[in-house]
Amino acid sequence: MARRPHDPLPAITVPGGQDVMTERTIPDRPDPADRPAEPVRRPERPGPATPGTATAGEVLAAYLHGQATEFLRSLRLHGDSGPGAEDATEAARLLRRSARRLSGALCVYRPLTDTEWTDQLRAELLWLCGTLGHEHAYAARLARLRGALHRLSGSAPATPAVASAADERPWSGLTVGAARAGALLERQLTLARTRAHSAALQALGTSRFHAVADAAAVLASEAPLAPAAYELPAGEALPRLAEQAQRRLVDAVGALPLSVAGHPYNAEALTHGLAATGSSDAPPAEGRQDAPWHQVRRLVRLRRYAQEVLDEHRQAEVEPTLSVRLLNAGQALDRHRDAAEAAAAAAAAARTPRIAPATAYALGVLHADQRHEVEAARFAFGRTWQRLGTGL
Amino acid sequence: MARRPHDPLPAITVPGGQDVMTERTIPDRPDPADRPAEPVRRPERPGPATPGTATAGEVLAAYLHGQATEFLRSLRLHGDSGPGAEDATEAARLLRRSARRLSGALCVYRPLTDTEWTDQLRAELLWLCGTLGHEHAYAARLARLRGALHRLSGSAPATPAVASAADERPWSGLTVGAARAGALLERQLTLARTRAHSAALQALGTSRFHAVADAAAVLASEAPLAPAAYELPAGEALPRLAEQAQRRLVDAVGALPLSVAGHPYNAEALTHGLAATGSSDAPPAEGRQDAPWHQVRRLVRLRRYAQEVLDEHRQAEVEPTLSVRLLNAGQALDRHRDAAEAAAAAAAAARTPRIAPATAYALGVLHADQRHEVEAARFAFGRTWQRLGTGL
């Protein structure tokens, strides 16, 4: 398979100042499709990529082809579904899923690609994931907080995470403070979710989005890779780049306070839990504490996608245990991020003017509860990481 | 040493309905003198009690003699010190320390005693421990909550537990909500402490208290034991009764949800954390959840005092490892009780009328934080208990 030269895509505009070299800014959501229960989709393969003889370019192109095909299929699915329908939600989820993988593979295996073209595309994929992800994030956050309030009230079993926001009496059985806190969060997060939904719909109609779709079509037919990629043996070039992603991950984990996090009930996550109450503008101290963990979450995901490309080469999971443990580590950090954001939402709701003291009290309990979930997630990640070992 | 018959002490009045058969109702406090750092006080021995030849009565009488002597010495110390002085606080602590041991030994080794006389005395010792313990309890609770608020605010290192309540600006460096919550708790707990202080002083002037002191004088000269006690070999009778205390402890621990508590971050202690917000009269669900742990705390302590009597027999610590582990288990459960009561104090403060929402929010965070301390203490107890083993 020879490389064909590609023109830069003039339709893709990169907003100035965006960091396109890392995935630091992808604001996406946990993805149920990432769970091992669901069989891994194997994209159709565009060309021969037999292990042993395939080049790095062939394998990477095949992976990108598969994910881009998924992307375009989800896009059609989204167009066919009615606005606000369950199909549309699912289609948006699949769109983000493919977009994350395209962006991740282009990041890890960047030296094998036409970097000018792919750096632009990655920035646009980040924008897309962010825009499409907010609606899901607000819905998930509300479901998490609703479940926590029920748990904290010792009332009926928590509303399932998929419960409709239109649930008739979601707060029945709660005490006054908990019910009011719940209703306040419901109002605030439903409003945010509705706005995010409109913004996502609007984005899908822009020329900026159509340019991303065009780029996906290019990836689905012929990925713009570097000429050298088709000369390097896949078995050498791909593992070397995956190893680099691995090293970035190991370095970032090394900077985490894992020895503290490994002690159960270290009370670290709630330190500064009351530091941000007074000033709503300053970035809360908790956010600064969480940032390195969020960064590791992104690097774990990159490492996972890197592994998917290696598996593409072998046409099988090279190291099933490794894949599962990376998945577990990622899930612990997803939970870390979700709990941290839910805690922040509770704290933000407590700053609403003129709320009753009982409401504020319940929001305080809720905030602390979610910060302890943060701490629990760090503990869980530490244990998973120990099993992964530094050699991974 | 022959047994002399004793008349029942007419001056000791047992309030009707009090349970004098168990130590369920002792509302005392953790005792820094229980820590291993401080050398164990060996009371002077009133008669020969050589291991191998001593009778159970001789050994028990010697232990009771020693503790009663300590009791009377602390009482003199208290009388000599000025009101409210540090000496008086220390003297009250030592008084409670001896009273708990007298009551505990009389409970475990009850069949060896003149039960009519000692059951009355035990009830009165419980009353005394309760009355004298409140002041210390409120002071310790305030120190704990003050430390937690500072930790939660990420401000200056926590005020040491012994900090004076008259500290000039104990809440400096905190955010508005945390500072107001702290000032509210300071007011409420200082008031409660002052009242407890007056009640304790008043109690020490009553004829009821003088009757207890007279009984301690009897124990210091000649303990009223059952005649048979002086015929049983100490090496048989004492371990058998200690074993019974052990069985009661093992049974009570068996009823605890240790498998849940052994999972870090099980979020059990905060379940129902919001259930009691609305109704201030009903006993909170958390109290019901905590009760079996409090009961185990008392049984661990009884087991410890039972061991002290065995050590009296051998004139050495029979099993130093066992003693240390019982101490550790007891300390975990002391922490459990302290955190539970601090959490309840935060919840109670949040029900103060007309507080600001920011204050209520901080109290909610504080409540949840202390309930997580409860959970952490249960986890710690579970680990210690595992090391103790069921054979202890």
Side-chain angles (χ1 to χ4, degrees):
Chain A
M1 190 185 290
R3 187 205 172 238
R4 293 179 309 178
H6 283 268
D7 295 329
L9 291 175
I12 299 187
T13 55
V14 178
Q18 271 211 10
D19 178 7
V20 298
M21 299 308 288
T22 74
E23 289 220 321
R24 283 173 187 263
T25 48
I26 287 196
D28 67 341
R29 294 294 112 196
D31 188 342
D34 280 359
R35 307 292 183 273
E38 189 166 311
V40 174
R41 291 157 191 269
R42 283 247 155 255
E44 301 98 289
R45 309 177 61 76
T50 323
T53 64
T55 67
E58 285 167 345
V59 172
L60 182 58
Y63 181 83
L64 294 172
H65 167 82
Q67 294 301 333
T69 305
E70 285 293 318
F71 182 92
L72 296 170
R73 186 183 298 160
S74 308
L75 189 55
R76 273 195 306 278
L77 192 67
H78 193 276
D80 292 347
S81 58
E86 209 168 295
D87 291 357
T89 307
E90 175 66 6
R93 190 182 66 76
L94 291 173
L95 258 183
R96 283 183 292 117
R97 185 183 191 277
S98 314
R100 277 201 306 273
R101 279 168 169 73
L102 288 172
S103 168
L106 292 175
C107 178
V108 172
Y109 299 106
R110 181 175 181 276
L112 301 176
T113 69
D114 175 344
T115 54
E116 193 179 344
W117 191 88
T118 55
D119 285 352
Q120 282 194 4
L121 176 58
R122 273 171 51 219
E124 292 304 281
L125 288 169
L126 295 187
W127 161 76
L128 184 64
C129 286
T131 307
L132 294 185
H134 286 313
E135 181 184 358
H136 170 73
Y138 287 121
R141 200 168 303 158
L142 180 57
R144 166 177 271 272
L145 288 166
R146 191 190 282 143
L149 273 176
H150 276 279
R151 174 168 48 76
L152 293 172
S153 303
S155 70
T159 319
V162 293
S164 157
D167 189 348
E168 283 285 319
R169 298 185 57 198
W171 308 110
S172 64
L174 299 191
T175 54
V176 175
R180 283 191 187 172
L184 178 60
L185 290 166
E186 187 99 38
R187 271 201 307 281
Q188 294 185 343
L189 290 173
T190 303
L191 178 63
R193 180 189 174 180
T194 307
R195 284 185 180 153
H197 180 73
S198 307
L201 277 190
Q202 204 167 14
L204 291 178
T206 58
S207 61
R208 185 176 180 184
F209 174 73
H210 289 302
V212 179
D214 289 347
V218 170
L219 287 177
S221 65
E222 187 71 65
L225 300 184
Y230 292 101
E231 287 153 23
L232 296 165
E236 288 174 22
L238 297 177
R240 200 168 56 235
L241 290 169
E243 173 63 25
Q244 284 179 13
Q246 170 72 15
R247 271 204 297 279
R248 280 195 297 272
L249 170 59
V250 169
D251 289 350
V253 172
L256 292 179
L258 277 191
S259 63
V260 172
H263 275 282
Y265 300 108
N266 55 70
E268 264 303 299
L270 196 53
T271 304
H272 309 293
L274 286 175
T277 314
S279 57
S280 54
D281 294 329
E286 287 176 348
R288 285 197 299 277
Q289 188 193 79
D290 298 342
W293 298 87
H294 295 334
Q295 172 63 2
V296 168
R297 192 185 69 82
R298 291 176 208 110
L299 292 173
V300 165
R301 198 175 52 195
L302 277 185
R303 180 64 187 83
R304 232 159 36 81
Y305 298 158
Q307 192 65 30
E308 287 187 5
V309 175
L310 296 185
D311 293 348
E312 177 85 22
H313 173 217
R314 309 285 183 94
Q315 299 185 301
E317 280 192 73
V318 182
E319 298 179 67
T321 316
L322 170 66
S323 300
V324 168
R325 290 188 176 161
L326 279 174
L327 194 63
N328 288 342
Q331 284 171 346
L333 293 173
D334 286 348
R335 185 173 151 221
H336 178 272
R337 192 261 326 261
D338 292 347
E341 292 184 349
R351 288 192 291 268
T352 308
R354 287 181 301 283
I355 57 173
T359 312
Y361 176 81
L363 289 168
V365 171
L366 193 56
H367 174 81
D369 174 70
Q370 291 300 304
R371 289 305 299 177
H372 275 96
E373 280 275 299
V374 165
E375 196 179 297
R378 290 179 188 172
F379 177 76
F381 171 77
R383 304 253 285 211
T384 306
W385 185 256
Q386 231 171 12
R387 280 196 294 271
L388 273 168
T390 46
L392 218 70
Chain B
M1 190 185 292
R3 187 207 174 237
R4 293 178 311 179
H6 283 267
D7 297 327
L9 292 176
I12 299 187
T13 54
V14 178
Q18 270 211 10
D19 178 8
V20 297
M21 300 306 289
T22 73
E23 289 219 321
R24 282 173 187 265
T25 48
I26 287 195
D28 66 342
R29 294 293 113 196
D31 188 341
D34 282 359
R35 304 295 182 274
E38 189 167 311
V40 174
R41 292 158 191 269
R42 281 246 157 258
E44 300 98 288
R45 309 178 60 75
T50 324
T53 63
T55 67
E58 284 167 345
V59 172
L60 183 56
Y63 182 82
L64 293 172
H65 166 83
Q67 294 301 333
T69 305
E70 285 293 317
F71 183 93
L72 296 170
R73 186 181 297 159
S74 308
L75 189 55
R76 273 196 306 278
L77 192 67
H78 194 274
D80 293 346
S81 59
E86 209 169 292
D87 290 357
T89 308
E90 174 67 5
R93 190 182 67 74
L94 291 173
L95 258 182
R96 285 185 289 116
R97 184 181 190 278
S98 315
R100 276 201 308 273
R101 280 168 169 74
L102 287 173
S103 168
L106 292 175
C107 178
V108 172
Y109 299 105
R110 181 175 180 276
L112 300 177
T113 68
D114 174 346
T115 55
E116 194 179 343
W117 192 87
T118 54
D119 285 353
Q120 282 193 6
L121 176 58
R122 273 171 50 219
E124 294 304 281
L125 289 170
L126 295 188
W127 161 75
L128 184 64
C129 285
T131 307
L132 294 186
H134 286 313
E135 182 184 357
H136 170 73
Y138 287 122
R141 200 168 304 158
L142 180 57
R144 167 177 271 270
L145 288 165
R146 190 191 282 143
L149 273 176
H150 276 279
R151 174 168 46 78
L152 293 171
S153 302
S155 71
T159 319
V162 292
S164 157
D167 189 347
E168 283 286 318
R169 297 185 57 200
W171 308 112
S172 64
L174 300 191
T175 54
V176 175
R180 283 190 187 173
L184 179 60
L185 290 166
E186 187 99 37
R187 271 201 307 281
Q188 294 186 342
L189 290 173
T190 302
L191 179 63
R193 180 190 173 180
T194 307
R195 284 184 180 153
H197 181 72
S198 307
L201 276 190
Q202 204 166 13
L204 291 178
T206 59
S207 60
R208 186 177 180 184
F209 173 73
H210 289 303
V212 178
D214 290 346
V218 170
L219 287 176
S221 64
E222 186 71 65
L225 301 183
Y230 291 101
E231 287 151 24
L232 297 165
E236 288 175 20
L238 297 177
R240 199 167 56 236
L241 290 169
E243 172 62 24
Q244 284 179 14
Q246 170 72 14
R247 271 204 297 279
R248 282 195 296 273
L249 170 59
V250 170
D251 288 351
V253 172
L256 292 178
L258 278 190
S259 64
V260 173
H263 275 282
Y265 301 106
N266 54 72
E268 264 303 301
L270 196 52
T271 304
H272 309 292
L274 286 175
T277 313
S279 57
S280 55
D281 295 330
E286 287 175 350
R288 286 196 299 278
Q289 189 194 78
D290 298 341
W293 298 86
H294 295 335
Q295 173 63 3
V296 168
R297 190 183 70 82
R298 290 176 209 109
L299 293 173
V300 165
R301 198 175 50 195
L302 278 185
R303 180 66 185 81
R304 229 157 41 79
Y305 298 160
Q307 192 65 31
E308 288 186 6
V309 175
L310 297 184
D311 292 349
E312 178 83 21
H313 174 216
R314 310 284 183 96
Q315 298 183 300
E317 281 193 71
V318 183
E319 297 178 68
T321 317
L322 171 66
S323 299
V324 168
R325 287 188 177 162
L326 279 173
L327 195 63
N328 288 343
Q331 284 172 346
L333 293 173
D334 286 348
R335 184 174 152 220
H336 178 272
R337 191 261 326 263
D338 292 347
E341 292 185 350
R351 289 192 291 267
T352 308
R354 288 181 300 283
I355 58 173
T359 312
Y361 176 80
L363 289 168
V365 171
L366 193 55
H367 173 82
D369 174 69
Q370 290 300 304
R371 290 304 300 176
H372 275 96
E373 279 275 298
V374 166
E375 197 179 298
R378 291 179 187 172
F379 177 76
F381 171 77
R383 304 253 285 211
T384 306
W385 185 257
Q386 232 173 12
R387 281 196 293 270
L388 272 168
T390 44
L392 219 67

